[in-house]
Amino acid sequence: MSLLKRIAAPPDLNTGERRNYIGVQLDAIGVGIASAAAPYLPVFLARLGATSTEVGLLTTMPALTGLILAIPMGRFLQRQKNIVRWYSMMRLSAILGYALTGLIAFLLAEQALVWGVLGIWALITIPQTILAITFNVVMNAVAGKHSRYELMTRRWSILGLTTTLMGLITGQLLTLNNDAFPLNFQIAFILLSLGGVFSAIITNRIKIDLPEPEVTSNLTEGDEVAPRLGIQESIKAYFKPILANRPFLSFMSKRLVFLFGSTLAVPLFPIFYVKQVQATDGWIGIINNALTFSLVLGYFFWTRISRRHSSRYIIILTTLGVGLYPLFVSQTMQPWVLAILAGLVGFFQGGLDLVFFDELMKLAPPAYIPTFISFAQSLQYLSTMISPLLGTAIADQFGLTAGFLVSSGMRLLGCFLFGLPLLAEWVKQIKRPVITG
């Protein structure tokens, strides 16, 4: 038992920290089970005859809701003492969307079912928005300042392995029961959503303490209650710490460019697999699982690299690797080649996930984590709302290959922006005069 405890958590943690550390990893199992359903949701819609635009709504709807609600939810969560409770409830609510998708297919058919599924996931966007903020707050609190790479490597590795295993099983079962469509997808969605119940049970046991933000009192002598701020004053109070943090804004702007390129291709991949490659559900499962499994390898590799090299080197290398992926995908129609490419990009994506999370947490003041995270999420939602629609519009007008090329171009532009400071240093070194004798 002591050996298992040492493997599950660093040895220098106290009892409460160790419980949280292990809880976060157990939670990853439940989330991993449910996450195996995610790649098959757009495939389900595509097989029902959904258009590119309708498939793209799976990505744009959460973005629209998040763009509207992220900042208000950040302000709300900034005042909450029990963030874990919100994280647990929203995780369960978001995952139950898969169960509802399976159940509604018993009631609707064909085009009505497509819009019914989209309606469910339109509602799920609300807990997804809150979950995106609370996840970062909880993970950062559990990890502390010096073990973000270690904790997220452990968590995401467990999640990746669980998702890979469940996704492989799901893909093969869907293929074997292909004639039973859509019943085979319904059963898969309902069973995989049980992972959300396990997640909720585990996360309710996590206990964290968050630092209190500095509060400027509006009370005058003799007042008993501080007056509520007006809308204009509330907006100013929200943005004041963000606008004062130049490094955070610089990182966010570069990240936004890269995210535009990344989300542009999200709805294109399932359409490409189904309609152009004509891949079976089994092959689609293998492709997704190759990416997920290689993520695990990437987490461990880039964690080791982070101990010897700075974050900026990791960002440049990982954005470059992920940036080239749509370009290479557009040049093949072979499922086995797509699986290899997915395995390669997963390796780089693992490092990108870690370094983006670490940089975001380093630049956000501890007392204002919900505020800064909600702002970061709102920018991410902005890209997720606009970019997939642009991607599907390009695909409809010029073809999927054009969409993939634009996606790669924007990702590589983000890579270039992250590399500019390092390039500037190299130029200075080259121009520096050499003193001899």
Side-chain angles (χ1 to χ4, degrees):
M1 182 63 69
S2 59
L3 176 60
L4 290 176
K5 288 183 176 180
R6 286 198 297 271
I7 294 174
D12 57 341
L13 301 181
N14 61 40
T15 302
E17 293 171 337
R18 183 178 300 277
R19 181 181 62 247
N20 289 342
Y21 215 92
I22 295 174
V24 164
Q25 295 172 68
L26 291 175
D27 171 44
I29 297 176
V31 177
I33 293 171
S35 296
Y40 294 103
L41 185 58
V43 173
F44 182 56
L45 289 179
R47 295 204 184 284
L48 287 172
T51 65
S52 300
T53 301
E54 288 167 344
V55 174
L57 285 174
L58 285 176
T59 305
T60 56
M61 288 189 305
L64 177 60
T65 304
L67 186 62
I68 296 172
L69 296 181
I71 290 177
M73 287 298 101
R75 293 179 57 217
F76 170 76
L77 293 169
Q78 183 71 64
R79 300 190 297 268
Q80 303 306 305
K81 296 184 180 299
N82 193 349
I83 292 291
V84 172
R85 181 182 63 181
W86 285 97
Y87 170 72
S88 181
M89 290 191 303
M90 296 304 103
R91 174 69 78 186
L92 177 61
S93 300
I95 289 177
L96 287 180
Y98 295 113
L100 294 176
T101 298
L103 293 173
I104 198 175
F106 287 111
L107 306 175
L108 303 176
E110 298 179 353
Q111 189 61 29
L113 178 55
V114 171
W115 285 105
V117 172
L118 292 176
I120 289 173
W121 288 96
L123 294 174
I124 295 300
T125 59
I126 298 175
Q128 283 177 334
T129 301
I130 302 175
L131 175 63
I133 300 171
T134 55
F135 169 81
N136 287 279
V137 176
V138 172
M139 295 304 125
N140 184 62
V142 173
K145 293 182 179 180
H146 306 296
S147 61
R148 296 189 190 103
Y149 272 86
E150 286 74 10
L151 175 65
M152 300 315 295
T153 292
R154 291 169 186 257
R155 175 185 169 84
W156 285 336
S157 296
I158 293 172
L159 191 153
L161 290 172
T162 306
T163 302
T164 299
L165 177 61
M166 297 304 300
L168 183 62
I169 295 172
T170 301
Q172 296 306 314
L173 290 177
L174 289 175
T175 300
L176 291 174
N177 297 279
N178 189 52
D179 294 337
F181 181 85
L183 182 61
N184 55 346
F185 276 80
Q186 292 176 252
I187 295 173
F189 288 147
I190 293 171
L191 292 179
L192 292 174
S193 68
L194 295 176
V197 178
F198 179 76
S199 171
I201 294 172
I202 295 298
T203 52
N204 269 320
R205 301 174 182 176
I206 296 175
K207 306 293 183 183
I208 60 174
D209 294 316
L210 298 176
E212 294 288 339
E214 298 178 4
V215 179
T216 302
S217 177
N218 292 313
L219 291 175
T220 58
E221 187 176 355
D223 288 337
E224 293 183 0
V225 180
R228 294 179 62 88
L229 294 176
I231 296 177
Q232 186 174 358
E233 289 78 9
S234 296
I235 294 175
K236 287 182 179 179
Y238 176 89
F239 282 103
K240 183 178 180 180
I242 295 174
L243 296 177
N245 194 323
R246 295 285 184 89
F248 176 80
L249 291 176
S250 175
F251 174 75
M252 284 294 102
S253 61
K254 298 170 186 176
R255 180 173 175 262
L256 181 62
V257 173
F258 186 85
L259 289 176
F260 258 91
S262 294
T263 53
L264 187 144
V266 167
L268 305 186
F269 287 113
I271 297 171
F272 180 70
Y273 297 153
V274 172
K275 297 187 176 180
Q276 283 199 210
V277 180
Q278 296 185 352
T280 64
D281 292 325
W283 267 115
I284 293 174
I286 291 173
I287 293 169
N288 289 321
N289 289 327
L291 190 153
T292 305
F293 182 74
S294 65
L295 278 171
V296 176
L297 302 179
Y299 294 144
F300 287 100
F301 174 81
W302 295 106
T303 296
R304 292 178 64 87
I305 294 296
S306 70
R307 297 169 186 152
R308 301 194 299 269
H309 298 283
S310 66
S311 296
R312 61 183 178 181
Y313 289 100
I314 298 176
I315 288 180
I316 294 170
L317 291 174
T318 54
T319 51
L320 177 61
V322 176
L324 292 171
Y325 177 58
L327 171 63
F328 291 151
V329 166
S330 68
Q331 303 304 307
T332 183
M333 297 283 287
Q334 298 297 324
W336 66 271
V337 177
L338 293 172
I340 293 174
L341 291 176
L344 291 174
V345 77
F347 178 78
F348 288 98
Q349 185 66 53
L352 190 61
D353 291 343
L354 291 171
V355 73
F356 271 3
F357 177 78
D358 186 60
E359 286 296 299
L360 182 58
M361 294 301 105
K362 283 195 297 189
L363 294 171
Y368 291 94
I369 289 287
T371 296
F372 275 68
I373 294 303
S374 64
F375 177 75
Q377 288 298 134
S378 67
L379 293 182
Q380 183 170 338
Y381 286 130
L382 177 65
S383 69
T384 309
M385 181 183 69
I386 298 174
S387 196
L389 292 178
L390 176 62
T392 53
I394 293 173
D396 289 340
Q397 188 69 27
F398 303 104
L400 289 169
T401 298
F404 286 136
L405 294 179
V406 173
S407 174
S408 261
M410 295 185 70
R411 296 182 192 202
L412 294 175
L413 175 59
C415 174
F416 174 75
L417 293 175
F418 279 118
L420 273 180
L422 186 60
L423 180 62
E425 288 185 12
W426 288 343
V427 171
K428 287 181 181 179
Q429 291 176 1
I430 293 173
K431 291 183 176 180
R432 187 175 301 159
V434 179
I435 300 176
T436 60

